[in-house]
Coordinates of all heavy atoms in Angstrom, one line a residue:
M101 N 0.8 -1.2 0.0 CA 0.0 0.0 0.0 C 0.9 1.2 0.0 O 1.8 1.3 0.8 CB -0.9 0.0 1.2 CG -1.9 1.1 1.3 SD -3.0 0.8 2.6 CE -4.2 2.0 2.3
H102 N 0.6 2.1 -0.9 CA 1.4 3.4 -1.0 C 0.7 4.5 -0.3 O -0.5 4.6 -0.3 CB 1.6 3.7 -2.5 CG 2.3 2.6 -3.2 ND1 3.6 2.4 -3.1 CD2 1.9 1.7 -4.1 CE1 4.0 1.4 -3.9 NE2 2.9 0.9 -4.5
G103 N 1.5 5.4 0.3 CA 0.9 6.6 0.9 C 0.8 7.7 -0.1 O 1.2 7.6 -1.3
P104 N 0.3 8.8 0.4 CA 0.1 10.0 -0.6 C 1.4 10.6 -1.0 O 2.4 10.5 -0.2 CB -0.7 11.0 0.3 CG -0.4 10.6 1.7 CD -0.2 9.1 1.7
R105 N 1.5 11.1 -2.2 CA 2.7 11.7 -2.7 C 2.7 13.2 -2.1 O 1.6 13.8 -2.0 CB 2.7 11.8 -4.2 CG 2.9 10.4 -4.8 CD 3.0 10.6 -6.3 NE 1.6 10.9 -6.7 CZ 1.3 11.4 -7.9 NH1 2.3 11.7 -8.8 NH2 0.1 11.8 -8.3
P106 N 3.8 13.7 -1.7 CA 3.9 15.1 -1.3 C 3.3 16.0 -2.3 O 3.6 15.9 -3.5 CB 5.4 15.3 -1.1 CG 6.0 14.0 -0.9 CD 5.1 13.0 -1.7
G107 N 2.4 16.9 -1.9 CA 1.8 17.8 -2.9 C 0.7 17.2 -3.7 O 0.1 17.9 -4.6
G108 N 0.3 16.0 -3.4 CA -0.7 15.3 -4.1 C -2.1 15.9 -3.8 O -2.3 16.7 -2.9
R109 N -3.1 15.4 -4.6 CA -4.5 15.9 -4.4 C -5.4 14.7 -4.5 O -5.2 13.8 -5.2 CB -4.9 16.9 -5.5 CG -4.1 18.2 -5.4 CD -4.7 19.3 -6.2 NE -4.0 20.5 -6.1 CZ -4.4 21.5 -5.3 NH1 -5.6 21.4 -4.7 NH2 -3.7 22.6 -5.2
A110 N -6.4 14.8 -3.7 CA -7.6 13.8 -3.8 C -8.7 14.5 -4.6 O -8.9 15.7 -4.4 CB -8.1 13.5 -2.4
V111 N -9.3 13.8 -5.5 CA -10.3 14.3 -6.3 C -11.6 13.6 -6.1 O -11.7 12.4 -6.2 CB -9.9 14.3 -7.8 CG1 -11.0 14.9 -8.7 CG2 -8.6 15.0 -8.1
L112 N -12.7 14.4 -5.9 CA -14.0 13.8 -5.8 C -14.9 14.4 -6.9 O -15.0 15.6 -7.0 CB -14.6 14.3 -4.4 CG -16.1 13.9 -4.2 CD1 -16.3 12.4 -4.2 CD2 -16.6 14.6 -3.0
S113 N -15.4 13.5 -7.7 CA -16.3 14.0 -8.8 C -17.7 13.4 -8.6 O -17.8 12.3 -8.3 CB -15.7 13.5 -10.2 OG -14.5 14.0 -10.4
I114 N -18.6 14.3 -8.8 CA -20.0 13.9 -8.6 C -20.8 14.5 -9.9 O -20.6 15.6 -10.3 CB -20.6 14.6 -7.4 CG1 -19.8 14.1 -6.1 CG2 -22.1 14.2 -7.2 CD1 -20.1 15.0 -4.9
A115 N -21.7 13.7 -10.4 CA -22.5 14.1 -11.6 C -23.9 13.6 -11.4 O -24.2 12.6 -10.8 CB -21.9 13.5 -12.9
D116 N -24.8 14.4 -11.9 CA -26.2 14.0 -11.9 C -26.8 14.3 -13.3 O -26.2 14.9 -14.2 CB -27.0 14.7 -10.8 CG -27.3 16.2 -11.1 OD1 -27.3 16.6 -12.2 OD2 -27.4 16.9 -10.1
N117 N -28.0 13.8 -13.5 CA -28.6 14.0 -14.8 C -29.9 14.8 -14.6 O -30.9 14.6 -15.3 CB -28.9 12.6 -15.5 CG -29.8 11.7 -14.7 OD1 -30.2 12.0 -13.5 ND2 -30.2 10.6 -15.2
G118 N -29.9 15.7 -13.6 CA -31.1 16.5 -13.3 C -31.3 17.6 -14.3 O -30.8 17.6 -15.4
V119 N -32.0 18.6 -13.8 CA -32.4 19.8 -14.7 C -31.3 20.7 -15.0 O -31.4 21.6 -15.9 CB -33.6 20.5 -14.1 CG1 -34.8 19.6 -14.0 CG2 -33.2 21.2 -12.8
G120 N -30.2 20.6 -14.3 CA -29.0 21.5 -14.6 C -29.2 22.9 -13.9 O -30.2 23.1 -13.3
I121 N -28.3 23.7 -14.2 CA -28.3 25.1 -13.6 C -28.4 26.1 -14.7 O -27.6 26.0 -15.7 CB -27.0 25.4 -12.8 CG1 -26.9 24.3 -11.6 CG2 -27.0 26.8 -12.2 CD1 -25.5 24.4 -10.9
D122 N -29.3 27.0 -14.6 CA -29.4 28.1 -15.6 C -28.1 28.8 -15.8 O -27.5 29.2 -14.8 CB -30.5 29.0 -15.2 CG -30.9 30.1 -16.2 OD1 -30.0 30.7 -16.7 OD2 -32.1 30.2 -16.5
P123 N -27.6 29.0 -17.0 CA -26.4 29.7 -17.2 C -26.3 31.1 -16.6 O -25.3 31.5 -16.1 CB -26.3 29.9 -18.7 CG -27.1 28.7 -19.3 CD -28.2 28.5 -18.3
A124 N -27.4 31.8 -16.5 CA -27.5 33.1 -15.8 C -27.2 33.0 -14.3 O -26.8 34.0 -13.7 CB -28.8 33.8 -16.1
D125 N -27.4 31.9 -13.7 CA -27.2 31.7 -12.3 C -25.8 31.2 -11.9 O -25.4 31.3 -10.8 CB -28.2 30.6 -11.7 CG -29.7 31.2 -11.8 OD1 -29.9 32.4 -11.7 OD2 -30.6 30.3 -11.8
M126 N -25.1 30.7 -12.9 CA -23.8 30.1 -12.6 C -22.8 31.1 -11.9 O -22.1 30.6 -11.1 CB -23.1 29.6 -13.9 CG -23.7 28.3 -14.5 SD -23.5 26.9 -13.3 CE -21.8 26.6 -13.4
K127 N -22.9 32.3 -12.3 CA -21.9 33.3 -11.7 C -22.2 33.5 -10.2 O -21.4 34.1 -9.5 CB -21.9 34.6 -12.5 CG -23.2 35.4 -12.4 CD -23.1 36.6 -13.3 CE -24.3 37.5 -13.2 NZ -25.5 36.9 -13.7
N128 N -23.4 33.1 -9.8 CA -23.8 33.4 -8.4 C -23.9 32.2 -7.5 O -24.2 32.3 -6.3 CB -25.2 34.1 -8.4 CG -25.2 35.4 -9.1 OD1 -24.4 36.2 -9.0 ND2 -26.2 35.5 -10.0
I129 N -23.6 31.0 -8.0 CA -23.9 29.8 -7.2 C -23.1 29.7 -5.9 O -23.6 29.0 -5.0 CB -23.7 28.5 -8.0 CG1 -22.3 28.4 -8.6 CG2 -24.8 28.5 -9.2 CD1 -22.0 27.1 -9.3
F130 N -22.0 30.3 -5.8 CA -21.2 30.3 -4.6 C -21.5 31.5 -3.6 O -20.9 31.6 -2.6 CB -19.7 30.2 -4.9 CG -19.3 28.9 -5.6 CD1 -18.7 28.9 -6.8 CD2 -19.5 27.7 -5.0 CE1 -18.4 27.8 -7.5 CE2 -19.2 26.5 -5.6 CZ -18.6 26.5 -6.9
D131 N -22.3 32.4 -4.0 CA -22.6 33.6 -3.2 C -23.5 33.2 -2.0 O -24.5 32.4 -2.2 CB -23.4 34.6 -4.0 CG -22.5 35.2 -5.1 OD1 -21.3 35.0 -5.1 OD2 -23.1 35.9 -6.0
P132 N -23.2 33.7 -0.8 CA -24.0 33.4 0.3 C -25.4 33.9 0.1 O -25.7 34.9 -0.5 CB -23.4 34.2 1.5 CG -22.0 34.5 1.0 CD -22.0 34.5 -0.5
F133 N -26.4 33.1 0.5 CA -27.8 33.3 0.4 C -28.4 33.3 -1.0 O -29.6 33.6 -1.2 CB -28.2 34.6 1.1 CG -27.7 34.6 2.6 CD1 -26.7 35.4 3.0 CD2 -28.4 33.8 3.5 CE1 -26.2 35.4 4.3 CE2 -27.9 33.8 4.8 CZ -26.9 34.6 5.2
F134 N -27.6 33.0 -2.0 CA -28.1 32.9 -3.4 C -28.9 31.5 -3.5 O -28.3 30.5 -3.2 CB -27.1 32.9 -4.4 CG -27.6 32.7 -5.8 CD1 -28.3 33.7 -6.5 CD2 -27.5 31.5 -6.4 CE1 -28.8 33.5 -7.7 CE2 -28.1 31.3 -7.7 CZ -28.7 32.3 -8.4
T135 N -30.1 31.6 -3.9 CA -30.9 30.4 -4.1 C -32.0 30.6 -5.2 O -32.4 31.8 -5.3 CB -31.6 29.9 -2.8 OG1 -32.3 28.7 -3.0 CG2 -32.6 30.9 -2.2
T136 N -32.3 29.6 -5.8 CA -33.4 29.7 -6.8 C -34.7 28.9 -6.2 O -35.7 28.8 -6.9 CB -33.0 29.0 -8.1 OG1 -32.7 27.7 -7.9 CG2 -31.9 29.8 -8.8
K137 N -34.5 28.5 -5.0 CA -35.6 27.8 -4.3 C -36.5 28.7 -3.6 O -36.2 29.9 -3.3 CB -35.0 26.7 -3.3 CG -34.2 25.7 -4.0 CD -33.7 24.7 -3.0 CE -32.8 23.6 -3.6 NZ -32.3 22.7 -2.6
L138 N -37.7 28.2 -3.2 CA -38.6 29.0 -2.3 C -37.9 29.1 -0.9 O -37.1 28.3 -0.5 CB -39.9 28.2 -2.2 CG -40.7 28.0 -3.5 CD1 -41.9 27.1 -3.2 CD2 -41.1 29.4 -4.0
A139 N -38.3 30.1 -0.2 CA -37.8 30.4 1.1 C -37.9 29.2 2.1 O -37.1 29.0 2.9 CB -38.4 31.6 1.7
T140 N -38.9 28.4 1.9 CA -39.1 27.2 2.8 C -38.3 26.0 2.4 O -38.3 25.0 3.1 CB -40.6 26.8 2.8 OG1 -41.0 26.5 1.4 CG2 -41.5 27.9 3.4
Q141 N -37.6 26.1 1.2 CA -36.8 25.0 0.7 C -35.3 25.1 0.9 O -34.6 24.2 0.6 CB -37.1 24.8 -0.8 CG -38.5 24.4 -1.0 CD -38.7 24.3 -2.5 OE1 -38.3 25.1 -3.3 NE2 -39.5 23.2 -2.9
G142 N -34.8 26.2 1.4 CA -33.4 26.4 1.6 C -33.0 27.8 1.8 O -33.8 28.7 1.6
N143 N -31.8 28.0 2.3 CA -31.4 29.4 2.6 C -30.2 29.9 1.7 O -29.7 31.0 1.9 CB -31.0 29.5 4.1 CG -29.9 28.6 4.5 OD1 -29.2 28.1 3.7 ND2 -29.8 28.3 5.8
G144 N -29.8 29.0 0.8 CA -28.7 29.5 -0.1 C -27.3 29.5 0.5 O -26.5 30.2 0.0
L145 N -27.1 28.7 1.5 CA -25.8 28.7 2.2 C -24.9 27.5 1.9 O -23.7 27.5 2.1 CB -25.9 28.9 3.7 CG -26.4 30.2 4.2 CD1 -26.6 30.2 5.7 CD2 -25.4 31.3 3.8
G146 N -25.6 26.4 1.3 CA -24.9 25.2 1.1 C -23.6 25.3 0.3 O -22.5 24.9 0.7
L147 N -23.7 25.8 -0.9 CA -22.5 25.9 -1.8 C -21.6 26.9 -1.3 O -20.3 26.8 -1.5 CB -23.0 26.2 -3.3 CG -23.5 25.0 -4.0 CD1 -24.0 25.4 -5.4 CD2 -22.5 23.9 -4.1
S148 N -22.1 28.0 -0.7 CA -21.2 29.0 -0.2 C -20.3 28.4 0.9 O -19.1 28.7 1.0 CB -22.0 30.2 0.4 OG -21.2 31.1 1.0
I149 N -20.9 27.6 1.8 CA -20.1 27.0 2.9 C -19.1 26.0 2.3 O -17.9 26.0 2.7 CB -21.0 26.4 3.9 CG1 -21.8 27.5 4.7 CG2 -20.3 25.5 4.9 CD1 -22.9 27.0 5.5
C150 N -19.5 25.2 1.4 CA -18.6 24.2 0.8 C -17.5 24.9 0.1 O -16.3 24.5 0.3 CB -19.4 23.4 -0.3 SG -20.6 22.2 0.4
Y151 N -17.7 26.0 -0.6 CA -16.7 26.7 -1.3 C -15.7 27.3 -0.3 O -14.5 27.1 -0.5 CB -17.3 27.9 -2.1 CG -16.3 28.7 -2.9 CD1 -15.9 28.2 -4.1 CD2 -15.8 29.8 -2.4 CE1 -15.0 29.0 -4.9 CE2 -14.9 30.6 -3.1 CZ -14.5 30.2 -4.3 OH -13.6 30.9 -5.1
A152 N -16.2 27.8 0.8 CA -15.3 28.4 1.8 C -14.4 27.4 2.4 O -13.2 27.6 2.6 CB -16.1 29.1 2.9
I153 N -15.0 26.2 2.7 CA -14.2 25.1 3.4 C -13.1 24.6 2.4 O -11.9 24.5 2.8 CB -15.1 24.0 3.8 CG1 -16.0 24.5 5.0 CG2 -14.3 22.8 4.2 CD1 -17.1 23.5 5.4
V154 N -13.5 24.4 1.2 CA -12.6 23.8 0.2 C -11.4 24.8 -0.1 O -10.2 24.5 -0.1 CB -13.3 23.4 -1.1 CG1 -12.3 23.1 -2.2 CG2 -14.2 22.2 -0.8
K155 N -11.8 26.1 -0.3 CA -10.7 27.1 -0.5 C -9.8 27.3 0.7 O -8.6 27.5 0.5 CB -11.4 28.4 -0.9 CG -12.1 28.4 -2.3 CD -11.2 27.9 -3.4 CE -10.6 29.0 -4.2 NZ -9.8 28.6 -5.3
R156 N -10.4 27.3 1.9 CA -9.6 27.5 3.1 C -8.6 26.4 3.3 O -7.5 26.7 3.9 CB -10.5 27.6 4.3 CG -9.9 28.4 5.5 CD -10.9 28.7 6.5 NE -11.9 29.7 6.1 CZ -13.1 29.7 6.4 NH1 -13.7 28.8 7.1 NH2 -13.9 30.7 5.9
T157 N -8.9 25.2 2.8 CA -7.9 24.1 3.0 C -7.0 24.0 1.8 O -6.3 23.0 1.7 CB -8.7 22.8 3.2 OG1 -9.5 22.5 2.1 CG2 -9.5 22.9 4.5
G158 N -7.0 24.9 0.9 CA -6.1 24.9 -0.3 C -6.6 24.1 -1.5 O -5.8 23.8 -2.4
G159 N -7.9 23.8 -1.5 CA -8.5 23.0 -2.6 C -9.2 23.9 -3.6 O -9.1 25.1 -3.6
E160 N -9.8 23.2 -4.5 CA -10.5 23.8 -5.6 C -11.9 23.1 -5.7 O -12.0 21.9 -5.5 CB -9.8 23.6 -6.9 CG -8.4 24.2 -7.0 CD -7.8 23.8 -8.3 OE1 -8.4 23.9 -9.4 OE2 -6.6 23.5 -8.3
I161 N -12.9 23.9 -6.1 CA -14.2 23.3 -6.4 C -14.7 23.9 -7.8 O -14.6 25.1 -7.9 CB -15.2 23.5 -5.3 CG1 -16.5 22.8 -5.6 CG2 -15.4 25.0 -5.0 CD1 -17.5 22.8 -4.4
R162 N -15.1 23.1 -8.7 CA -15.6 23.5 -10.0 C -16.9 22.9 -10.3 O -17.1 21.7 -10.0 CB -14.6 23.1 -11.1 CG -13.3 23.8 -10.9 CD -12.4 23.5 -12.1 NE -11.1 24.2 -11.8 CZ -9.9 23.8 -12.3 NH1 -9.9 22.7 -13.1 NH2 -8.8 24.4 -12.1
I163 N -17.8 23.6 -10.8 CA -19.1 23.1 -11.2 C -19.4 23.5 -12.7 O -19.2 24.6 -13.1 CB -20.2 23.7 -10.3 CG1 -20.0 23.3 -8.8 CG2 -21.6 23.3 -10.8 CD1 -21.0 23.8 -7.8
S164 N -19.8 22.5 -13.4 CA -20.3 22.8 -14.8 C -21.6 22.2 -14.9 O -22.0 21.2 -14.3 CB -19.3 22.2 -15.8 OG -19.2 20.8 -15.6
S165 N -22.5 22.8 -15.8 CA -23.8 22.4 -15.9 C -24.4 22.8 -17.2 O -24.1 23.8 -17.8 CB -24.7 23.0 -14.7 OG -26.0 22.5 -14.7
L166 N -25.3 22.0 -17.7 CA -26.1 22.3 -18.9 C -27.6 22.2 -18.6 O -28.0 21.2 -18.0 CB -25.8 21.3 -20.0 CG -24.4 21.3 -20.6 CD1 -24.2 20.1 -21.5 CD2 -24.1 22.6 -21.3
P167 N -28.3 23.2 -18.9 CA -29.8 23.2 -18.6 C -30.4 21.9 -19.3 O -30.1 21.6 -20.5 CB -30.3 24.4 -19.3 CG -29.2 25.4 -19.3 CD -27.9 24.5 -19.5
G168 N -31.0 21.1 -18.5 CA -31.6 19.9 -19.0 C -30.6 18.7 -19.1 O -31.0 17.6 -19.5
G169 N -29.3 19.0 -18.9 CA -28.3 18.0 -19.1 C -27.5 17.6 -17.8 O -26.5 17.0 -17.9
G170 N -28.0 18.1 -16.7 CA -27.3 17.7 -15.4 C -26.2 18.6 -15.0 O -25.9 19.6 -15.7
T171 N -25.6 18.2 -13.9 CA -24.5 19.0 -13.3 C -23.4 18.2 -12.9 O -23.6 17.0 -12.5 CB -25.1 19.8 -12.1 OG1 -26.2 20.6 -12.5 CG2 -24.0 20.7 -11.4
N172 N -22.1 18.7 -13.1 CA -20.9 18.0 -12.7 C -20.2 18.8 -11.6 O -20.0 20.0 -11.9 CB -20.0 17.8 -13.9 CG -20.6 16.9 -14.9 OD1 -20.9 15.7 -14.6 ND2 -20.8 17.4 -16.1
V173 N -19.8 18.2 -10.6 CA -19.1 18.9 -9.5 C -17.7 18.2 -9.3 O -17.7 16.9 -9.2 CB -19.8 18.9 -8.2 CG1 -19.0 19.6 -7.1 CG2 -21.2 19.6 -8.3
E174 N -16.6 18.9 -9.3 CA -15.3 18.3 -9.0 C -14.7 19.1 -7.9 O -14.6 20.3 -7.9 CB -14.4 18.4 -10.3 CG -13.1 17.8 -10.1 CD -12.2 17.8 -11.3 OE1 -11.6 18.8 -11.6 OE2 -12.3 16.8 -12.1
V175 N -14.3 18.4 -6.9 CA -13.6 18.9 -5.7 C -12.2 18.3 -5.6 O -12.1 17.1 -5.6 CB -14.4 18.6 -4.4 CG1 -13.7 19.2 -3.2 CG2 -15.8 19.1 -4.5
K176 N -11.2 19.2 -5.6 CA -9.8 18.8 -5.5 C -9.4 19.3 -4.1 O -9.4 20.4 -3.8 CB -9.0 19.4 -6.5 CG -9.3 18.9 -7.9 CD -8.3 19.4 -9.0 CE -8.7 18.9 -10.3 NZ -7.7 19.5 -11.4
L177 N -8.9 18.3 -3.3 CA -8.4 18.6 -2.0 C -6.9 18.3 -1.9 O -6.5 17.2 -2.4 CB -9.1 17.9 -0.9 CG -10.6 18.1 -0.9 CD1 -11.3 17.1 0.1 CD2 -10.9 19.6 -0.4
R178 N -6.1 19.1 -1.2 CA -4.7 18.8 -1.0 C -4.6 17.6 0.0 O -5.4 17.5 0.9 CB -4.0 20.0 -0.3 CG -3.9 21.2 -1.3 CD -3.2 22.4 -0.7 NE -2.4 22.1 0.5 CZ -2.0 23.0 1.4 NH1 -2.4 24.2 1.2 NH2 -1.3 22.7 2.4
V179 N -3.6 16.8 -0.3 CA -3.4 15.6 0.6 C -2.3 16.1 1.6 O -1.3 16.6 1.2 CB -2.8 14.4 -0.3 CG1 -2.4 13.3 0.7 CG2 -3.9 14.0 -1.3
H180 N -2.6 15.8 2.9 CA -1.7 16.2 3.9 C -1.2 14.9 4.6 O -2.0 14.0 4.8 CB -2.4 17.0 5.0 CG -2.9 18.3 4.5 ND1 -2.2 19.4 4.4 CD2 -4.2 18.7 4.1 CE1 -2.9 20.4 4.0 NE2 -4.1 20.0 3.7
E181 N 0.1 14.9 4.8 CA 0.6 13.7 5.6 C 0.5 14.0 7.1 O 0.7 15.1 7.5 CB 2.1 13.6 5.3 CG 2.4 13.0 3.9 CD 3.8 12.6 3.7 OE1 4.3 11.9 4.7 OE2 4.4 12.9 2.7
H182 N 0.1 13.0 7.8 CA -0.1 13.0 9.2 C 0.9 12.1 9.8 O 1.0 10.9 9.4 CB -1.5 12.7 9.7 CG -2.5 13.6 9.2 ND1 -2.7 14.9 9.8 CD2 -3.4 13.6 8.2 CE1 -3.7 15.5 9.2 NE2 -4.1 14.8 8.2
S183 N 1.7 12.5 10.8 CA 2.6 11.7 11.5 C 1.7 10.8 12.5 O 0.8 11.2 13.1 CB 3.6 12.4 12.3 OG 3.0 13.3 13.2
H184 N 2.1 9.5 12.6 CA 1.4 8.6 13.5 C 1.9 8.8 14.9 O 3.1 8.9 15.1 CB 1.6 7.2 13.0 CG 1.1 6.9 11.7 ND1 -0.2 7.2 11.3 CD2 1.7 6.4 10.5 CE1 -0.4 6.8 10.0 NE2 0.8 6.4 9.5
R185 N 1.0 8.8 15.8 CA 1.4 9.1 17.2 C 1.5 7.8 18.0 O 0.9 6.8 17.8 CB 0.4 10.0 17.9 CG 0.4 11.3 17.3 CD -0.6 12.2 18.0 NE -0.6 13.5 17.3 CZ -1.1 14.6 17.8 NH1 -1.5 14.6 19.0 NH2 -1.1 15.7 17.1

């Protein structure tokens, strides 16, 4: 079993085949409180919080989407070595 390479990254890719994201909304999807849902269905903080956590840890998050064609999310996280105690 091999350990992580220094400076390596772990990648998580998620895709769906849902309705997609309207191109006009793409520029706002990481903004706090941005939502296209009704007030009773969400507060628009989910992607904003995810973005902040990923960026704060030195990672990247990218989202691509086609209306009617689903959405793809890719999260790249830095791999950290931990010394065993």
Side-chain angles (χ1 to χ4, degrees):
M101 184 172 190
H102 299 285
R105 291 181 292 162
R109 294 192 177 257
V111 179
L112 172 67
S113 296
I114 303 164
D116 71 29
N117 60 355
V119 298
I121 301 170
D122 187 308
D125 293 333
M126 286 297 290
K127 67 181 180 301
N128 299 314
I129 60 173
F130 295 119
D131 293 348
F133 304 107
F134 176 78
T135 184
T136 58
K137 297 178 180 180
L138 298 173
T140 58
Q141 295 177 318
N143 58 19
L145 290 175
L147 283 177
S148 174
I149 291 170
C150 290
Y151 182 85
I153 291 169
V154 169
K155 293 304 262 183
R156 201 170 291 144
T157 60
E160 299 173 43
I161 184 169
R162 294 185 184 155
I163 297 180
S164 60
S165 186
L166 292 172
T171 300
N172 297 300
V173 179
E174 183 177 86
V175 179
K176 293 181 181 181
L177 300 172
R178 290 181 19 203
V179 175
H180 298 277
E181 285 192 48
H182 294 282
S183 59
H184 299 305
R185 295 180 185 201

